[in-house]
Amino acid sequence: MNDRIPGTTYDNPIWYRGFRIYVANHCFVNYEYVHDDYDGAPDAGDNRCGHGQTVAECIDEIDERWPVLGKL
């Protein structure tokens, strides 16, 4: 993990299972996450992104939405 959590940016994220977690630029959430292979095109159907109020909340949501095989 990154030791710069308060200043974590998209270019210097916290990495977790292929997802970057970084400080959001929105007033209603603190952190956003996006998979490194995310295709944000409207017709792609790629939903590997989200947001949370804390890094731990983002990690929990990633684990819930995309479980690791053998971890269940």
Side-chain angles (χ1 to χ4, degrees), residues 21-59:
I21 302 172
Y22 54 95
V23 173
N25 292 327
H26 305 289
C27 60
F28 65 94
V29 297
N30 293 328
Y31 293 92
E32 293 180 311
Y33 65 85
V34 63
H35 194 273
D36 199 36
D37 295 330
Y38 175 73
D39 180 357
D43 62 345
D46 194 346
N47 65 349
R48 294 176 294 174
C49 62
H51 53 80
Q53 296 302 328
T54 65
V55 172
E57 191 176 300
C58 291
I59 289 172

